[in-house]
Amino acid sequence: MPLAAMAGQATSASFGHTADGQDVQIVTLTNSHGVRARVMSYGASLQSLWVPDRNGKLADVVLGYDTLQGYLDHRQYFGATVGRYANRIAHGKFTLDGKSYRLSLNEGPNSLHGGAKGFDMRVWKVLDVKAGAQPSVTMEYVSTDGDQGYPGTLTIKANYTLSDDNQLKISYLATTDKPTIVNLSNHTYWNLAGEGSGTVMDQALMIPGDAITPVSDAAAIPTGQMVPVAGTPYDFRMAKPIGRDIRDGSSQQLLFGHGYDMNWVLSRKEIEPHVVARAEDPQSGRVMTVWSGKPGLQFYSGNFLDGTTVGKDHHVYRQGDAFVLEPQLFPDTPNHPDFGSARLAPGQIYRNVIVYRFGIDHTGK
């Protein structure tokens, strides 16, 4: 087969405009097997990802909207890059180098995923689109000093690369001109049977974390403890269906979150990338393995999809129709010294590299 036929493709087109007239680009990355990812510059977001089942049939395994307007009208973090600080910061307050900062609040008394206008709501600049063996797109956003209350001008690059062995790699790099805090992650809603196909409660999940960071109430702020998962509904060290224990009414954490919405402790510090989760759909045979080096993984079971969201192809998304896996630092780390540090100083480079590897289990139906 000619080399040109084996090469991956990368194309860019306009996906629409924001209310203030900014053009939003959508970049389609396709490998030689027909696997394709669409990444839009609004929120540096994964808009769709088509991967094969055990019979070779492609399906889009990412929840979202067919048009830009859906994302503009409904802030649900579908596929988005979240930051400057992914997850929650209690009362939108933290202290860095002896100085106190107040962030914009957007979830009751707390700041979630960067505040009222996080990176998910920004139009990123498309720096580079590359075809070839590993088609990719690189986007950049510059968050100015004081943006949403955060100190320092932060320059962030997000790179999406699709390999010929059906891996999608997202690399986040950030630098700052003065000390700040950073925690970036991706917030894709996954359904390995295909978006709009219904519940993910029968899909099997493995998370190798031996503890969670429990929260004190429905506001989902960590208590500062690390509680072992052994003997609890949060034990996913051996793969099990997502829905097996989700209705355990004796679990206060499940009641707080209306299902799973908590941080798993994968390590006590940042380490080399390793498997942080493995999900499998027994019907289609699709398997997704997630790799990262971050110490925490937020697992959310789509609890607040309430049947009012009409997504792609007019599909209505209901509770439990997707799951989210966010490799990151622990929630509210700046207010819990025992959790480590989210500090980034000038001259340092923040990194979060997340790899999604897709395969097939041929032993099922």
Side-chain angles (χ1 to χ4, degrees):
M1 184 176 293
L3 290 177
M6 296 295 293
Q9 298 178 344
T11 60
S12 182
S14 177
F15 196 52
H17 294 80
T18 61
D20 60 357
Q22 295 183 80
D23 180 51
V24 173
Q25 290 287 301
I26 192 157
V27 177
T28 303
L29 310 175
T30 309
N31 71 12
S32 68
H33 305 293
V35 171
R36 69 181 182 273
R38 300 183 84 208
V39 183
M40 65 174 177
S41 59
Y42 183 75
S45 303
L46 181 62
Q47 190 270 340
S48 62
L49 180 64
W50 292 77
V51 295
D53 65 7
R54 63 168 58 92
N55 298 313
K57 182 180 179 181
L58 294 171
D60 182 4
V61 296
V62 170
L63 272 63
Y65 297 99
D66 288 319
T67 65
L68 175 62
Q69 198 61 46
Y71 296 92
L72 298 178
D73 290 344
H74 308 286
R75 188 188 190 189
Q76 293 171 283
Y77 307 104
F78 283 158
T81 295
V82 287
R84 182 176 303 198
Y85 196 94
N87 219 306
R88 296 166 177 88
I89 294 183
H91 307 294
K93 298 178 182 179
F94 69 95
T95 300
L96 182 67
D97 298 343
K99 184 177 180 180
S100 296
Y101 294 91
R102 288 179 174 266
L103 307 175
S104 67
L105 306 180
N106 62 320
E107 192 187 51
N110 304 313
S111 185
L112 172 67
H113 294 326
K117 194 171 182 182
F119 296 166
D120 61 294
M121 300 177 72
R122 309 290 184 158
V123 177
W124 294 52
K125 180 181 180 181
V126 178
L127 294 182
D128 193 31
V129 177
K130 289 183 179 179
Q134 298 192 67
S136 68
V137 56
T138 302
M139 300 181 180
E140 180 184 70
Y141 181 70
V142 178
S143 174
T144 56
D145 185 15
D147 182 12
Q148 306 304 298
Y150 289 93
T153 296
L154 190 75
T155 301
I156 315 101
K157 287 184 172 64
N159 174 277
Y160 286 76
T161 299
L162 180 64
S163 69
D164 212 43
D165 56 356
N166 298 350
Q167 294 185 39
L168 180 67
K169 180 171 73 173
I170 305 176
S171 300
Y172 295 121
L173 303 178
T175 57
T176 184
D177 65 352
K178 70 180 186 181
T180 189
I181 60 171
V182 185
N183 184 32
L184 305 177
S185 194
N186 181 273
H187 204 283
T188 294
Y189 284 69
W190 302 100
N191 185 330
L192 296 182
E195 64 80 29
S197 64
T199 182
V200 297
M201 291 297 112
D202 292 332
Q203 296 181 21
L205 179 65
M206 186 280 295
I207 300 174
D210 60 1
I212 62 167
T213 52
V215 299
S216 55
D217 55 30
I221 297 299
T223 64
Q225 299 172 295
M226 298 185 195
V227 175
V229 299
T232 76
Y234 327 118
D235 192 348
F236 282 87
R237 291 174 297 175
M238 297 290 289
K240 66 179 181 181
I242 290 171
R244 176 178 292 174
D245 300 318
I246 202 169
R247 297 185 184 277
D248 185 346
S250 65
S251 165
Q252 191 61 56
Q253 298 295 306
L254 288 175
L255 293 175
F256 285 151
H258 298 247
Y260 293 106
D261 189 9
M262 57 204 70
N263 171 65
W264 267 254
V265 178
L266 304 172
S267 60
R268 301 307 194 268
K269 61 181 180 179
E270 297 198 33
I271 57 178
E272 289 299 309
H274 61 291
V275 175
V276 298
R278 182 185 187 275
E280 178 180 344
D281 174 42
Q283 297 298 318
S284 67
R286 292 186 185 91
V287 177
M288 179 178 75
T289 308
V290 185
W291 293 64
S292 177
K294 292 299 177 184
L297 179 76
Q298 187 82 10
F299 163 44
Y300 169 58
S301 53
N303 315 323
F304 296 100
L305 295 171
D306 61 4
T308 63
T309 297
V310 181
K312 300 170 185 174
D313 290 328
H314 306 290
H315 293 149
V316 173
Y317 299 147
R318 299 185 179 277
Q319 187 179 56
D321 279 359
F323 59 87
V324 179
L325 299 166
E326 304 162 72
Q328 57 189 236
L329 301 179
F330 298 167
D332 203 29
T333 283
N335 294 311
H336 296 280
D338 290 346
F339 283 0
S341 174
R343 186 179 190 272
L344 182 72
Q348 297 177 326
I349 300 176
Y350 167 92
R351 288 183 173 86
N352 188 6
V353 178
I354 308 169
V355 179
Y356 305 94
R357 297 184 178 179
F358 292 89
I360 300 295
D361 177 15
H362 292 282
T363 63
K365 296 182 179 181

